[in-house]
Amino acid sequence: MSRGGVLDGGSLAIVLFLAFVTVSLLLCGLAAADQDEPEQFYTGSSSLGPAQNGLAVAGDYLSAATLLSTTGSIALTGADGVLFACATVLALLLFGRILAEPLRGPGRYTLGDVLAERLGRPAVRRAMGVVTLVVLIPLLLVQLSAAGRITTVMLGLPAGALTGCTVATGALMVCYSAFGGMRGTGFVQILKTLVVVPVVVLLAVLVLHRFGGDPGRLLDAAARRGGPGFTRPGLQFGATLAGRLDLVGFSLTLVLGAACLPHVTMRFHPVRSAPELRVSLRWAVGSVVLICAALAVVGLGACALVGPRELRAADRSGGTALLMVTTALDPTPALAGDSVLFALVACAVFATALAAVAGITLAAAASLAHDLPSPARGGRRGRGPAAREVTRARCAVALVGAVAVLLSVPAHDRNPQVLVSFTFATAASALLPVLVCAFLGRWCTARGALCALYGAPVLTVVLLVFSPAVSGTPVALLPEYDFRWFPLQTPGLVTVPAGFLLCLLGSRVGRGTDGPDGARGGPGTPPGAARWAAAQPAAADAGSGS
């Protein structure tokens, strides 16, 4: 549809949607030409330059949930939302400084490979594969649901088409991941970053323009409409003791869990040298800082121009704030879907969601096919023809996609924040303690890693199920029930220390008897440490540059 020879917002949204899908499929098709070897399929992004890999890391790191929930949190809770945006940046910065370097190296496809090589036990790889699926599947459901919703909005379809759009999005993500592999999804992540950055920056500039380019005026207007406490931390969870602990716990899990998610860490495995790693991190952190700063401006603009009451009426968690602010900035169309600005923002969100589901699917499928035991290779990496390994990985992509689509349909009407909280809490409580202890603590053993990998997720599930996030509150996952007894909505304050404690206790109990395949290990040295050290890049390479 057009008006006077010019595309209206709805038509532009369809054009942008088809253009992004077409270009993404073309990039994945080009990348599929050399994906017959496992190394190319799992780590094909080694052909990317440092700047390109950094943009791909930023694309994997920033999901649709990040864009929508960060903007909504800032619009509804003010200082708390800004704190969450800062935590998002800090998570990637800290991870890059502490753990990115030990993760890189030849022949490493997954986190399971890294830890099995470091600790010398195949059981660690299998445990890491299980935890990877436990961490990524809930996040994949959230991203897939968001992609389905935004597709219905962009194409102007009725609400009943949500299931069909979700299935179509699932089919696209299977194509991206199965045929493009690591390199193809890397191209999609780069394209996503190049789309999202200018759109959110444009939106932030338009918001500031409405207030004369003065951030102070914007903040004052947002504070007036946001009400008491908008400029002070504590509005998200309340001023009670439990609320303050929830704020600290959520910030803690966000900082510690966001950047060590497997679909983000897999981008560091194929990096060839330490200088290249540092360049990639600069590009990744710079892109994330720019996007989060722009989202902070847009969130304040949504509060000042739309208002918290209207935002909550549309979505209790503020998830539509990023899209609703476009109506206030471009008020001429009779409907939001007719706005050109709305079409641009909706396309950026769709690109974010679609790229996120592709990256998460690939990481989950890699763990399913490569880390978990298989009769074809006896649970050991590298056995069997290379073609069989790639075929198994592509079948795993299809399986993960099918399961995600089936599970996401009944989750459409539920609060997605619970699943996101579970993902971050489990990553911060299981993955981070094991990575930190394995690489920074010489006392860590495979038994300690297994205790943390299996024990921390179970504790997280128990505490979260019986928390106010699942039942007993209007915004809970199951608001019609009330079986809560754990007072905190985010269990990170308990589960993160518990993860480190489990790793410590398991290592102490198993010291002296926990070697490769049950053999006795050397005193004070983790099993497999010598083999891990020998596989590291040369010291001159690791220490070059600053």
Side-chain angles (χ1 to χ4, degrees):
M1 302 293 290
S2 63
R3 298 174 181 174
V6 180
L7 286 176
D8 59 22
S11 301
L12 179 61
I14 296 176
V15 171
L16 293 175
F17 168 83
L18 295 177
F20 181 83
V21 171
T22 302
V23 173
S24 301
L25 288 174
L26 178 61
L27 292 174
C28 287
L30 293 175
D34 56 353
Q35 299 292 319
D36 292 333
E37 295 292 330
E39 185 172 359
Q40 289 296 323
F41 186 85
Y42 290 123
T43 62
S45 61
S46 58
S47 60
L48 301 177
Q52 294 173 320
N53 194 56
L55 293 176
V57 171
D60 268 312
Y61 185 63
L62 291 172
S63 64
T66 303
L67 291 184
L68 300 176
S69 63
T70 300
T71 308
S73 295
I74 294 172
L76 297 180
T77 65
D80 287 353
V82 174
L83 180 63
F84 300 153
C86 293
T88 301
V89 175
L90 183 61
L92 184 58
L93 186 60
L94 287 178
F95 182 85
R97 296 287 294 180
I98 297 173
L99 289 174
E101 170 66 22
L103 292 182
R104 71 176 187 88
R108 296 172 177 177
Y109 301 159
T110 63
L111 280 178
D113 279 346
V114 176
L115 284 176
E117 181 182 285
R118 176 74 172 105
L119 300 177
R121 286 281 298 276
V124 176
R125 178 185 292 115
R126 292 191 290 271
M128 182 59 76
V130 172
V131 175
T132 295
L133 294 175
V134 170
V135 167
L136 292 183
I137 292 299
L139 187 60
L140 179 58
L141 301 184
V142 175
Q143 303 302 319
L144 192 57
S145 179
R149 289 183 183 279
I150 201 64
T151 302
T152 60
V153 173
M154 289 183 65
L155 301 182
L157 301 176
L162 178 59
T163 299
C165 289
T166 303
V167 173
T169 303
L172 280 175
M173 77 179 182
V174 168
C175 292
Y176 290 160
S177 304
F179 297 106
M182 184 73 160
R183 186 182 178 191
T185 57
F187 288 153
V188 175
Q189 300 298 347
I190 294 171
L191 179 62
K192 159 195 164 177
T193 304
L194 295 178
V195 168
V196 171
V197 169
V199 169
V200 296
V201 169
L202 171 64
L203 206 55
V205 170
L206 292 176
V207 169
L208 286 174
H209 179 71
R210 289 291 295 268
F211 294 90
D214 186 354
R217 285 182 55 191
L218 170 62
L219 182 59
D220 290 341
R224 284 195 300 271
R225 296 202 69 173
F230 186 82
T231 58
R232 297 190 303 272
L235 198 58
Q236 171 83 17
F237 298 103
T240 63
L241 176 60
R244 295 190 185 97
L245 293 176
D246 264 324
L247 178 62
V248 175
F250 185 80
S251 302
L252 177 70
T253 56
L254 189 57
V255 170
L256 299 182
C260 65
L261 295 175
H263 68 290
V264 177
T265 60
M266 71 179 183
R267 294 287 168 194
F268 297 108
H269 300 324
V271 178
R272 291 182 289 265
S273 66
E276 288 187 2
L277 177 65
R278 285 189 285 272
V279 173
S280 295
L281 285 171
R282 291 191 193 105
W283 279 89
V285 173
S287 301
V288 172
V289 168
L290 186 59
I291 291 175
C292 287
L295 291 179
V297 174
V298 174
L300 293 175
C303 179
L305 298 174
V306 182
R309 180 178 300 177
E310 291 77 6
L311 293 174
R312 286 193 175 93
D315 189 301
R316 288 178 297 182
S317 62
T320 58
L322 184 63
L323 297 173
M324 290 182 67
V325 74
T326 62
T327 306
L329 294 172
D330 189 9
T332 51
L335 298 174
D338 293 331
S339 168
V340 173
L341 184 60
F342 181 91
L344 292 174
V345 174
C347 180
V349 176
F350 171 78
T352 302
L354 192 60
V357 297
I360 296 170
T361 301
L362 179 62
S367 285
L368 180 62
H370 186 73
D371 291 337
L372 298 184
S374 167
R377 59 189 176 104
R380 295 181 61 86
R381 179 170 60 90
R383 295 179 62 181
R388 185 178 301 172
E389 171 85 4
V390 176
T391 300
R392 182 166 54 246
R394 287 173 172 157
C395 292
V397 169
L399 178 60
V400 170
V403 171
V405 169
L406 290 176
L407 294 179
S408 65
V409 172
H412 282 318
D413 299 326
R414 301 296 179 178
N415 187 356
Q417 293 301 320
V418 178
L419 298 178
V420 176
S421 297
F422 172 76
T423 290
F424 288 153
T426 306
S429 306
L431 298 182
L432 183 77
V434 171
L435 291 175
V436 169
C437 293
F439 290 111
L440 303 183
R442 293 178 58 84
W443 45 265
C444 181
T445 65
R447 184 170 298 178
L450 291 173
C451 289
L453 288 174
Y454 286 127
V458 172
L459 179 62
T460 302
V461 169
V462 171
L463 295 184
L464 197 60
V465 165
F466 294 102
S467 74
V470 173
S471 68
T473 62
V475 295
L477 183 66
L478 303 173
E480 63 272 21
Y481 300 100
D482 188 357
F483 44 81
R484 51 181 171 163
W485 52 260
F486 184 67
L488 303 181
Q489 297 185 47
T490 54
L493 281 180
V494 176
T495 57
V496 172
F500 281 97
L501 184 61
L502 286 170
C503 192
L504 172 63
L505 294 179
S507 298
R508 295 300 182 189
V509 170
R511 180 163 297 283
T513 61
D514 195 15
D517 297 321
R520 180 174 295 274
T525 303
R531 193 164 60 254
W532 172 82
Q536 292 302 294
D541 171 48
S544 61
S546 61

